[in-house]
């Protein structure tokens, strides 16, 4: 095997965005994935770039804001390499907020909502209007994969990383196809990041999300996202899924189970109907689930792995992997090349999970 500069485990949106960034900086990059690239949460996601969702931990905002600012360049790079344009699907989100936090200036009135969307019935919800984009993660996945294939990035599907160890200034990476040495190793394996024996101390666990898609009735010309803490409705307005909407999602702590239960989909549909009664008439297309990589504090884990020289980790993006991919690629590439970071990474330090370990 050749010796790349950097080896990445996990060809999801985080791993491949980082691979593109490092390739752009002149690095030789190999990416391993235990299955097909972009086939897990990267394609299951709804695609809301929800930097201002009130349910996000406040410490996430600087990284989320950085990522939003990098998104146009990220999509341009993907377009230049792949020839594929990934458009924003929506530009506005109606976000429900608890009554006590809605401010007079940002709060929409029922009249405003009726003007925007005649079908919306905000009986139990008060909404604010967010300038927020969404995109179709499946469109992005296919363009991103084409972009990676247009480079010299060595992408190896169906090749799990079995173990890694630091040897001098290199990392030895073992896969079923052999052993490789790289200067640096980055674990971007999402919900599976802690499943491999070499990173047992990082508490990343899967949080299952079930969701489904519908054909929007012609009476519902929907061009914006509607979101409450319990349900979201995300219309697709361009591309192969135009006229459809994604409705999600459950948040379940039951391990690596991806079974879709019709009763859970029915419950999501009932929640969506309380917001938009015409959803009751919408024909269901698909139902699926994804496994979000979650940490105990809801924040990503970005940085060097303590006690394992030349090992890095970038996972734990939970509900915001699509949003945070460009910023994660940016700050992790800065760490790898030894540049100062664009934003304070201390809230995301892997060290926060090691501080309480007993001394050996
Ligand atoms: N990003 C939406 C979700 O986690 O359901």
């Amino acid at each position: 095997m050749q010796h790349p500069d950097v080896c990445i485990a996990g060809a999801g949106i985080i791993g491949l965005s980082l691979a593109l960034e490092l390739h752009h900086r002149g690095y030789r990059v190999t990416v391993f994935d235990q299955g097909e690239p972009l086939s897990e949460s990267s394609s299951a996601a709804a695609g809301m770039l929800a930097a201002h969702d009130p349910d996000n931990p406040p410490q996430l905002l600087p990284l989320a804001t950085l990522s939003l600012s990098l998104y146009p360049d990220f999509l341009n790079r993907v377009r230049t390499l792949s020839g594929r344009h990934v458009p924003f699907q929506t530009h506005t989100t109606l976000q429900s907020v608890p009554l006590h936090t809605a401010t007079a200036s940002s709060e929409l009135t029922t009249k405003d909502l009726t003007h925007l969307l005649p079908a919306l019935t905000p009986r139990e919800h008060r909404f604010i209007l967010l300038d927020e984009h969404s995109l179709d993660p499946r469109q992005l996945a296919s363009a991103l994969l084409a972009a990676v294939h247009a480079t010299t990035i060595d992408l190896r599907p169906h090749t799990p990383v079995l173990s890694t160890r630091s040897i001098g200034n290199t990392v030895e990476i073992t896969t079923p196809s052999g052993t490789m040495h790289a200067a640096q190793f980055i674990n971007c394996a999402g919900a599976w990041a802690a499943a491999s024996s070499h990173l047992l101390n990082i508490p990343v666990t899967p949080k299952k999300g079930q969701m489904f898609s519908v054909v929007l009735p012609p009476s519902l010309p929907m061009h914006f996202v509607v979101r409450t803490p319990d349900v979201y409705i995300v219309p697709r307005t361009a591309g192969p899924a135009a006229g459809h909407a994604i409705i999600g999602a459950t948040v379940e702590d039951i391990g690596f189970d991806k079974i879709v239960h019709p009763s859970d989909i029915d419950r999501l549909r009932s929640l969506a109907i309380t917001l938009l009664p015409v959803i009751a008439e919408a024909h269901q297309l698909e139902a699926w689930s994804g496994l979000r990589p979650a940490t105990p504090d809801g924040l990503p884990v970005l940085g060097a792995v303590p006690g394992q020289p030349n090992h890095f980790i970038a996972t734990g993006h939970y509900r915001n992997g699509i949003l945070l991919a460009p910023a994660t690629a940016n700050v992790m590439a800065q760490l790898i090349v030894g540049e100062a970071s664009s934003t304070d990474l201390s809230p995301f330090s892997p060290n926060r999970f090691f501080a309480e370990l007993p001394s050996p």
Side-chain angles (χ1 to χ4, degrees):
M1 285 186 168
Q2 328 93 325
H3 290 188
D5 299 314
V6 174
C7 184
I8 294 173
I13 188 169
I14 300 297
L16 292 187
S17 302
L18 177 54
L20 273 190
E21 177 65 26
L22 288 168
H23 174 268
H24 180 72
R25 289 164 172 264
Y27 276 57
R28 287 168 301 162
V29 184
T30 295
V31 187
F32 294 111
D33 196 280
Q34 62 181 358
E36 283 293 319
L38 297 153
S39 61
E40 294 289 347
S41 47
S42 306
S43 291
M48 296 172 282
L49 306 185
H52 299 283
D53 186 327
D55 277 354
N56 289 344
Q59 304 97 306
L60 200 61
L61 189 58
L63 188 70
T65 306
L66 174 67
S67 217
L68 286 181
S69 74
L70 295 173
Y71 237 101
D73 283 350
F74 170 65
L75 293 179
N76 277 339
R77 181 176 295 167
V78 168
R79 183 180 194 165
T80 303
L81 288 166
S82 69
R84 301 198 198 177
H85 171 54
V86 180
F88 287 133
Q89 299 280 336
T90 60
H91 305 273
T92 305
T93 292
L94 294 176
Q95 167 75 56
S96 83
V97 290
L99 295 187
H100 64 277
T101 63
T103 63
S105 58
S106 62
E107 186 184 314
L108 286 172
T109 64
T110 304
K111 184 165 164 288
D112 294 328
L113 291 173
T114 305
H115 171 70
L116 285 165
L117 184 65
L120 192 66
T121 54
R123 280 188 295 271
E124 296 165 19
H125 301 271
R126 184 160 296 193
F127 287 88
I128 56 171
L129 186 63
L130 299 176
D131 291 329
E132 175 185 298
H133 298 295
S134 70
L135 50 74
D136 180 344
R138 294 182 187 181
Q139 259 192 316
L140 177 58
S142 116
L144 180 57
L145 192 55
V148 168
H149 283 316
T151 69
T152 55
I153 293 167
D154 176 16
L155 176 58
R156 303 188 185 200
H158 301 287
T159 312
V161 171
L162 301 175
S163 65
T164 65
R165 63 180 177 138
S166 304
I167 305 179
N169 286 333
T170 66
V171 179
E172 181 187 80
I173 298 123
T174 303
T175 73
S177 0
T179 297
M180 175 181 274
H181 292 85
Q184 283 145 324
F185 170 78
I186 313 164
N187 182 331
C188 299
W192 287 264
S196 32
S197 57
H198 51 286
L199 278 174
L200 277 180
N201 288 329
I202 299 279
V204 179
T205 54
K207 287 266 168 70
K208 175 179 173 182
Q210 299 181 56
M211 53 213 292
F212 68 108
S213 60
V214 295
V215 181
L216 286 170
S219 60
L220 187 63
M222 194 173 170
H223 300 290
F224 47 89
V225 169
V226 182
R227 186 170 62 228
T228 76
D230 302 318
V231 67
Y232 50 73
I233 305 168
V234 184
R236 301 289 187 234
T237 62
H244 302 171
I246 310 300
I247 300 176
T250 62
V251 181
E252 302 168 67
D253 197 2
I254 51 168
F256 288 93
D257 168 2
K258 284 176 61 183
I259 297 170
V260 175
H261 298 282
S263 55
D264 292 327
I265 299 300
D266 287 348
R267 192 179 54 78
L268 286 171
R269 185 187 270 262
S270 301
L271 287 168
I273 288 169
T274 65
L275 293 170
L276 297 174
V278 290
I279 293 289
E281 299 156 26
H283 171 66
Q284 182 176 321
L285 292 168
E286 274 184 79
W288 65 93
S289 73
L291 300 174
R292 311 172 181 94
T295 60
D297 57 13
L299 295 171
V301 194
L302 307 175
V305 178
Q308 293 185 283
N310 301 311
H311 284 67
F312 296 81
I313 187 164
T315 185
H317 295 80
Y318 190 37
R319 306 192 74 159
N320 289 299
I322 305 293
L323 165 66
L324 296 173
T328 301
N330 178 254
V331 300
M332 291 305 297
Q334 288 169 331
L335 276 179
I336 296 290
V337 307
E339 280 174 13
S341 181
S342 305
T343 187
D344 175 21
L345 294 182
S346 56
F348 316 119
S349 170
N351 290 324
R352 72 195 194 274
F353 299 123
F354 288 79
E356 288 159 24
L357 289 182
S359 310

